[in-house]
Amino acid sequence: MTNVVVALVVALLACGPYLAGRFGPGLHARPDRFEHRLALPLWTVAFPVAAALALLFRERWPRATLGWTVAVGAVATVVGGGDSGAAFLPIMVALYTLTLHSDRGTWLAAAGGTALVMVVTTVVPQPAVWERAIGVPIWVALAPAVAQAVRNRRAYLAEAAERAHRAEQTKEIEARRRVAEERIRIARDLHDVLAHTIAVVNVQSAVAAHVIDDDVAQAKQALQHINDASDTALTELRATLEVLRQDGDPRAPAAPAPGLGDVDGLLDGVRAAGVVVRRELPTDLDGVSPEVGLVAYRVLQEALTNVLKHAQADTVEVAVGIDGGRLELCVRDDGVGAPDPPEYGHGRIGMRERVHALGGSIADGPAAPGYLVRATIPLRQAGR
């Protein structure tokens, strides 16, 4: 439909000046401007019409369309005594279309050939008026110039759309990455909380079951430890799962994240399981950020959980110190355990991920007697 409209408009515009210039009163050329022209028969108006009709196929066959319009324009120029004005509009539209749909070499060759043909057909019929041919290359060059501007504009818009599409994809990928990281963080927290609590509950329930017939007081004490550990676990679970609430959900009171100030609670659970605890903790925690304190707490929690679950230890030593801008912690037991480190489970992987995320280092393995976990965490992370 667009090509039909273009062809009709070009035909009307091309025929109007053609008729006005050549078919004045008496079908004679106007003597005030073109005294050299001959009167033209009415049928010559078919030239611009034929050239304009070819534009119906300009997008399907751009080269053939340009060749046809140039040929018709050349004949019309010769018949018109060197006047090529009426032939130029269809040629410019055809050359514009060819430039849009071809490479640089093709449209440059086409523009050069068109200019040469039209200059020759303008000058040859009447060499005395050669000055009229000077403007022919300018008119020919105008069509490719406009086409290149349109092509550049389209390329810019396409590139902008592509950048917007890539930005949207990047945004989605980043959102999925953050969701995955948050899931891993929640899984780590749940593992740390539940593994430690269940280990304490397991040990204390076994104690209660063993002594309940002979020592009711000790059984009650073991059950009390189970209750305390359960309360602590529920509090931490509420704080961990708080991030899963949606906007508008009723909010439960959120407990602050645990830190080094809460380590004594972990040690009490280990003592209640019958393990002797030797501790060395810093008294001044002002230089320890909540983030570093939380990671240190989780590492100690996992290490002590493994002592209860695997070590069969009588004593565990817990040492935390601050030295040269670093927080150093060490957990060592005297248990028999396994001769080789167990396979990396969620707990050990979680310890490493937490410490490495803050730029620290961690190592664990057998240390006769027993097992040793040692970690170093910078008090200030890079870029903060």
Side-chain angles (χ1 to χ4, degrees):
M1 186 62 184
T2 303
N3 290 339
V4 174
V5 174
V6 170
L8 289 176
V9 172
V10 170
L12 291 175
L13 293 176
C15 291
Y18 191 90
L19 292 172
R22 289 172 173 76
F23 304 116
L27 300 182
H28 289 282
R30 292 177 296 174
D32 57 330
R33 294 183 56 193
F34 305 117
E35 297 176 354
H36 57 277
R37 290 182 183 166
L38 301 175
L40 297 177
L42 183 60
W43 63 267
T44 56
V45 76
F47 290 129
V49 173
L53 289 178
L55 299 179
L56 293 172
F57 312 101
R58 64 192 180 94
E59 292 185 348
R60 187 172 183 180
W61 298 302
R63 298 184 184 184
T65 301
L66 178 62
W68 173 259
T69 56
V70 170
V72 173
V75 174
T77 302
V78 173
V79 173
D83 180 17
S84 57
F88 260 112
L89 187 55
I91 293 174
M92 291 177 67
V93 174
L95 185 56
Y96 166 86
T97 305
L98 177 66
T99 304
L100 282 182
H101 295 86
S102 62
D103 57 80
R104 185 183 185 87
T106 300
W107 68 258
L108 281 175
T114 300
L116 179 62
V117 170
M118 296 311 296
V119 167
V120 172
T121 55
T122 299
V123 175
V124 168
Q126 297 192 44
V129 291
W130 59 268
E131 67 273 6
R132 285 185 299 164
I134 297 177
V136 171
I138 298 177
W139 285 102
V140 172
L142 181 62
V146 174
Q148 283 298 102
V150 172
R151 172 182 280 183
N152 292 338
R153 178 63 177 173
R154 290 178 178 177
Y156 170 78
L157 294 177
E159 184 180 356
E162 179 63 21
R163 285 199 302 267
H165 179 65
R166 288 198 301 266
E168 186 65 24
Q169 285 186 325
T170 302
K171 184 178 179 181
E172 292 178 359
I173 293 173
E174 179 65 16
R176 288 196 293 268
R177 184 187 66 80
R178 292 185 178 183
V179 169
E181 289 180 351
E182 187 63 15
R183 287 176 176 172
I184 294 174
R185 187 193 68 80
I186 292 173
R188 282 199 303 256
D189 287 347
L190 290 177
H191 175 273
D192 292 341
V193 172
L194 294 179
H196 180 76
T197 302
I198 291 174
V200 172
V201 169
N202 181 64
V203 172
Q204 294 297 328
S205 60
V207 172
H210 181 71
V211 302
I212 191 169
D213 293 329
D214 302 324
D215 192 341
V216 176
Q218 186 176 357
K220 290 176 64 177
Q221 184 179 13
L223 294 175
Q224 184 61 47
H225 287 309
I226 292 176
N227 183 69
D228 294 341
S230 301
D231 287 342
T232 302
L234 288 174
T235 301
E236 291 196 37
L237 281 175
R238 291 192 191 99
T240 300
L241 298 178
E242 184 69 22
V243 297
L244 300 180
R245 292 186 178 274
Q246 303 293 327
D247 292 340
D249 288 349
R251 301 181 65 85
L260 288 177
D262 304 297
V263 171
D264 283 333
L266 293 176
L267 302 181
D268 289 342
V270 176
R271 291 190 185 96
V275 180
V276 177
V277 176
R278 297 193 179 100
R279 59 184 287 275
E280 182 180 344
L281 301 177
T283 57
D284 184 9
L285 300 177
D286 292 339
V288 181
S289 66
E291 187 178 19
V292 173
L294 174 61
V295 170
Y297 178 89
R298 293 304 187 196
V299 171
L300 292 173
Q301 185 180 48
E302 176 62 25
L304 294 173
T305 298
N306 289 336
V307 170
L308 295 178
K309 290 171 61 177
H310 308 297
Q312 304 175 26
D314 296 322
T315 303
V316 61
E317 298 177 358
V318 177
V320 179
I322 299 176
D323 181 24
R326 299 176 302 173
L327 179 70
E328 298 181 350
L329 58 89
C330 175
V331 178
R332 181 169 186 168
D333 64 73
D334 62 353
V336 291
D340 299 315
E343 293 296 328
Y344 280 102
H346 292 296
R348 296 181 68 199
I349 292 175
M351 284 195 301
R352 277 159 175 72
E353 289 177 343
R354 291 180 186 278
V355 173
H356 292 163
L358 297 185
S361 61
I362 183 171
D364 65 322
Y371 199 83
L372 173 67
V373 176
R374 185 185 299 275
T376 301
I377 306 172
L379 294 179
R380 295 180 62 85
Q381 282 67 60
R384 297 188 182 181

